[in-house]
Amino acid sequence: MNKNALNLNETLSRTCDGEIEIIVKDVHGRVLEHTRTHNIVKIGAKEILAHRLPYEKIWDPNAGSGDGAWISSGFDMSDYAPKYILLGASFDSDGAALDTTDSRYYTIDPITGLTIPITLGVGAEYEGGLINAVPISEPYRPLKKVESIYFQPTYQPAGTPLLQDDVRAMNNIVVFETTLTKDEYNGFGRTDSDYFTITEVALAGGKELTTVGACECDPKTIFLEGRNDGTAITANTSGSSTISIDPTDSAYVDVISVGDQIKITSVDGTGTSVLPQVNDHYLVTSKLTGGSDIGLDRTPVGADGETALTGQVGIFRDSLRIFSHRILKTPFKKSSDFMIIIRWSLVMN
C-alpha cells in the first residue's frame, strides 16, 4: 500500500465521525420520511472535548487541615458541553422560502446537473454561527435544546488489535436528540408560503439558558455575556495583546476568565454592533480572578490587519461553540402538520 495513502487513512480514522438523522412524522405518529446525512465536525470541537476532559476539582496538599483535599478547580466546564441543536433555514429578506434555489446553501453539480449542498469547512466560517439562522422568537421559534442523550455501542478489538480475535462492546457512540413539535419553526406566518425550509443543522455548546423570549435575533447573540443590561463591558486597549477592563465596569471583572473567547465591539455596543476588525473574536490566554487585565492570543487590530486598536472598546464573553455543522442533502419543509425528530450521532473513533 502507498505510504501516503496509509498515513491519510490513519489521519481520517482518528476523528469524530457520525451522522445526522431527520425523521418526519405526521399527526398520527407515522414516519413519512427518514433521511441520514454524514456530519461535519468543526475544528472547535477539539476545544470542547479538551475542556470536558478535566475534573471539576484539583488536589490541594494543604487543604483538609493540612492533610490534603479535593477542592474546586475554579473552572466551569458546563459551558463546553453540547446542549443545543441550532437550525438555519432558506428564506429571503421578505421571509419567503427559497428551498434549494438558495445559492447560500446549494449549487448545481456540473456533471449531473442536480442540486447539491455547498461544501462546508471545519473552521469558524460565518463568524462561528450559521449561514442563515432562524431568528429566535419563543415559543414558536425557540432556542432548541437537546432533549435526550444516550449511548450506542460499537465493537472494538480487545487486547492487542490483529493478534486476538475477541472483541468487546464500547459505548463510544453518543446520540443527541431533540423534537420539533407541530407548532415550532413553522415560519413567519400561517400559510404554506410562510413555512421555513430547514436547510442546516448544528450541534452547539454554550452557557445554560432557559427561556430567551421573542428577541427576533440570531441565536449566537444570545450567548454573548456583558453587562446586566445587555451592553458590552468597557475595556481599554493600548496597542498590545493585553487589554484592561475599565474601572467604571469593575463589577464585571470576573465575567471573563482564562480560556474564554471574547468578542470586541464598540463601546456600549450590543451583540450586533460592529467595530471594523479582521476578526472580532479573541482567545483569553491569561486572566487573574479579580484582576482587570486580560491577556489575548494576539493584538487586536483594525480592518487593515496592521493598525493596532487603541482607546476604549466594548467586550463580550462568547460561550457559543459549534461542535458540528451540516447542510442537509434533503432539506425539509416544516409545517403545522409534522413533528420532526433530529438525531445527531457522534462516533468517537
Side-chain angles (χ1 to χ4, degrees), residues 143-159:
L143 177 64
K144 200 61 186 176
K145 288 88 170 176
V146 171
E147 298 168 350
S148 176
I149 299 174
Y150 55 93
F151 290 86
Q152 295 176 338
T154 60
Y155 290 85
Q156 306 290 335

Side-chain angles (χ1 to χ4, degrees), residues 79-94:
D79 282 1
Y80 295 89
K83 302 183 188 69
Y84 305 96
I85 292 181
L86 306 180
L87 301 174
S90 172
F91 56 87
D92 61 18
S93 58
D94 295 322

Side-chain angles (χ1 to χ4, degrees), residues 212-260:
V212 296
C215 65
E216 292 289 352
C217 57
D218 189 312
K220 67 181 180 182
T221 65
I222 299 171
F223 292 93
L224 297 176
E225 294 181 75
R227 294 172 176 162
N228 294 336
D229 62 0
T231 57
I233 300 168
T234 302
N236 299 302
T237 62
S238 58
S240 72
S241 60
T242 298
I243 65 175
S244 299
I245 295 176
D246 193 83
T248 58
D249 275 346
S250 59
Y252 301 103
V253 292
D254 289 329
V255 169
I256 296 166
S257 59
V258 64
D260 286 339

Side-chain angles (χ1 to χ4, degrees), residues 309-323:
L309 297 183
T310 57
Q312 287 192 330
V313 296
I315 58 174
F316 287 97
R317 176 179 184 262
D318 187 357
S319 69
L320 178 64
R321 290 168 174 83
I322 290 186
F323 190 102

Side-chain angles (χ1 to χ4, degrees), residues 10-82:
E10 289 177 345
T11 300
L12 290 176
S13 67
R14 294 172 183 168
T15 61
C16 294
D17 200 359
E19 64 182 12
I20 178 172
E21 295 178 67
I22 306 293
I23 304 169
V24 181
K25 295 184 177 182
D26 65 11
V27 292
H28 303 292
R30 294 173 297 201
V31 176
L32 303 178
E33 185 177 349
H34 188 178
T35 61
R36 287 182 170 90
T37 305
H38 185 77
N39 68 36
I40 294 293
V41 176
K42 306 295 280 185
I43 203 166
K46 295 181 179 180
E47 181 186 19
I48 291 178
L49 291 174
H51 281 77
R52 293 298 298 166
L53 283 174
Y55 184 42
E56 68 269 16
K57 295 182 180 180
I58 56 175
W59 181 259
D60 185 347
N62 300 314
S65 301
D67 297 327
W70 290 104
I71 64 171
S72 172
S73 66
F75 181 72
D76 184 5
M77 296 182 293
S78 62
D79 282 1
Y80 295 89

Side-chain angles (χ1 to χ4, degrees), residues 42 84-91 104-105 118 120 123-136 142-144 185 198-204 217-221 223 320-327 344:
K42 306 295 280 185
Y84 305 96
I85 292 181
L86 306 180
L87 301 174
S90 172
F91 56 87
R104 292 171 297 182
Y105 292 105
I118 65 169
L120 282 174
E125 298 163 296
Y126 313 107
E127 297 184 352
L130 301 182
I131 297 174
N132 192 44
V134 178
I136 298 299
L143 177 64
K144 200 61 186 176
Y185 285 107
I198 303 296
T199 45
E200 63 178 325
V201 185
L203 179 66
C217 57
D218 189 312
K220 67 181 180 182
T221 65
F223 292 93
L320 178 64
R321 290 168 174 83
I322 290 186
F323 190 102
S324 193
H325 188 187
R326 182 73 270 182
I327 297 176
W344 207 295

